[in-house]
Amino acid sequence: MITNNKKRVLFVSGGNNDKLLDYVKEQADEINDSTEYSIDHYLIKGKGIIGYLKNYIPLRRKLISNNYDFIHAHYGLSGMLAVLQRKCRVIITFHGSDLNRKDHRKISILASYLATKSIVVSEKLKSHLASNKNNNIHLIPCGVDLSVFKPIHQNEAKLRLNLNQNDNYILFGGAKSNKVKNWNLALKALENIRYNYKIIELKNMSREQVNLALNSSSILLLTSHMEGSPQIIKEAMSTNTPIVVTNVGDVEWLLHNVTNTYIVKHDKNEISNAINNILSHPTRLSTNGRERILELKLDKESVTKELRFVYHSIE
């Protein structure tokens, strides 16, 4: 049977809440749908270096009891745990905080040296691994499921989320409690908004609800201190939602020539001016973001092809 000929891949990633990160799950599901690979998961329980290292023995047991062809780890600490075992070859995807944060960077760089292949989601992250084996570093941003993230009429989206049709909504691109997302800066900027608005917090939503929230909103606002290749930006582009974002990660590349988007400094006045400019229009603005996603081949199918290329290179 075809199933028996599939290569077996173990995805290793954080899982303190017993839930895969959405973009990790989507990537795994897309690969799993192929006739080439079968994906299994190991979710790491614990926080910090010590917490991750406590997973070494359980991970070894899983590897011994299953005949995996290789491991694909997500984030640097997961990668470091994965490379400590020498039974399977390891691919690591670095998503941003693992290389942007100084306290994780050295560990991530070491993990990259020990891995068979490394993947980064933005060019800026690749620069942190510049002294590494460059032929073993691949640039592959996470893709977007364009069947989920797509433009919907704002009235319909609001109706499906039980939102007021007459209100302006601003979607904040993360949980307010996540310090990296920098809600304090957003809050200061919002003090100077001249128009009525309500905030939607990106928290505890299904993928379908995120799509509806984007289509309901006049603006996606992201004020992060740092990012790798922010997935919510690509999702907002896929729905043609206007964007105000601080200059983090690869947003300059993503939003090149995308209309009705603002890349701003970490400055409350610049952020509020951008928001006011968008809200000054009587009807919801649109962008050409979806067209840009297709131009960059950031749909999940195109990205999966790139990932399979890396998989094939180590077989």
Side-chain angles (χ1 to χ4, degrees):
M1 293 178 65
I2 293 176
T3 302
N4 294 333
N5 295 327
K6 286 186 175 184
K7 299 286 185 180
R8 299 196 67 200
V9 184
L10 181 65
F11 268 43
V12 176
S13 59
N16 282 316
N17 58 359
D18 292 317
K19 182 177 180 292
L20 288 166
L21 292 167
D22 289 320
Y23 46 85
V24 174
K25 182 181 185 303
E26 288 169 2
Q27 191 173 94
D29 289 347
E30 183 70 12
I31 297 167
N32 211 24
D33 284 343
S34 73
T35 58
E36 296 179 275
Y37 300 103
S38 176
I39 307 297
D40 195 4
H41 293 276
Y42 180 85
L43 293 178
I44 296 170
K45 301 300 174 73
K47 294 183 178 181
I49 297 171
I50 301 302
Y52 271 62
L53 289 178
K54 288 180 179 178
N55 289 266
Y56 175 74
I57 292 176
L59 176 60
R60 280 283 300 174
R61 287 175 181 157
K62 189 171 182 70
L63 293 174
I64 291 170
S65 61
N66 295 274
N67 189 27
Y68 295 110
D69 291 278
F70 54 89
I71 292 171
H72 186 172
H74 288 266
Y75 285 92
L77 287 183
S78 300
M80 190 70 241
L81 172 68
V83 297
L84 290 177
Q85 60 74 40
R86 307 310 292 168
K87 179 177 170 58
C88 290
R89 290 164 296 175
V90 178
I91 297 169
I92 306 173
T93 294
F94 297 93
H95 288 274
S97 59
D98 39 23
L99 289 169
N100 285 326
R101 287 178 51 176
K102 291 182 179 180
D103 56 336
H104 286 181
R105 187 179 302 157
K106 288 183 179 180
I107 294 171
S108 295
I109 290 173
L110 176 59
S112 177
Y113 269 105
L114 297 174
T116 307
K117 295 281 184 179
S118 295
I119 297 170
V120 292
V121 297
S122 72
E123 192 68 41
K124 286 184 179 179
L125 294 180
K126 192 174 183 180
S127 67
H128 291 303
L129 303 177
S131 61
N132 203 342
K133 306 162 285 186
N134 284 311
N135 61 319
N136 288 330
I137 301 173
H138 301 264
L139 172 60
I140 307 177
C142 292
V144 186
D145 187 343
L146 296 182
S147 67
V148 174
F149 291 95
K150 55 190 176 184
I152 299 173
H153 194 280
Q154 188 178 45
N155 290 345
E156 179 187 346
K158 285 180 176 180
L159 181 65
R160 289 166 64 178
L161 286 180
N162 295 315
L163 299 176
N164 192 314
Q165 294 288 345
N166 297 319
D167 287 333
N168 286 316
Y169 291 92
I170 298 174
L171 176 61
F172 182 67
K176 294 177 183 178
S177 59
N178 186 340
K179 293 182 179 179
V180 173
K181 303 301 179 184
N182 201 1
W183 169 246
N184 286 338
L185 175 59
L187 196 58
K188 291 176 183 177
L190 291 169
E191 292 174 355
N192 296 322
I193 302 306
R194 300 190 300 268
Y195 303 88
N196 293 326
Y197 69 89
K198 291 184 178 179
I199 289 288
I200 301 175
E201 182 181 7
L202 184 61
K203 183 179 180 181
N204 299 327
M205 292 185 186
S206 69
R207 310 308 284 145
E208 291 74 17
Q209 287 172 327
V210 175
N211 180 61
L212 291 174
L214 284 164
N215 280 286
S216 297
S217 300
S218 300
I219 300 168
L220 169 74
L221 175 62
L222 187 66
T223 52
S224 297
H225 290 293
M226 62 180 71
E227 293 281 353
S229 180
Q231 196 68 5
I232 189 60
I233 295 296
K234 287 173 273 186
E235 291 162 357
M237 293 169 67
S238 301
T239 61
N240 291 331
T241 301
I243 297 167
V244 176
V245 58
T246 47
N247 192 2
V248 290
D250 59 353
V251 297
E252 286 188 324
W253 173 68
L254 288 171
L255 296 176
H256 180 67
N257 286 337
V258 177
T259 56
N260 297 319
T261 61
Y262 293 81
I263 300 173
V264 295
K265 298 176 183 177
H266 289 83
D267 177 84
K268 64 178 184 179
N269 293 324
E270 191 169 339
I271 295 168
S272 60
N273 286 339
I275 294 172
N276 281 322
N277 284 340
I278 294 173
L279 293 182
S280 67
H281 292 265
T283 58
R284 182 185 189 267
L285 294 175
S286 186
T287 77
N288 59 334
R290 191 176 182 87
E291 180 182 326
R292 176 66 173 163
I293 288 289
L294 291 169
E295 176 189 337
L296 295 175
K297 295 184 178 180
L298 292 177
D299 57 287
K300 68 174 185 176
E301 292 81 9
S302 296
V303 169
T304 300
K305 287 180 183 178
E306 293 293 318
L307 195 57
R308 285 179 186 152
F309 174 81
V310 176
Y311 285 8
H312 292 162
S313 71
I314 69 171
E315 292 177 6

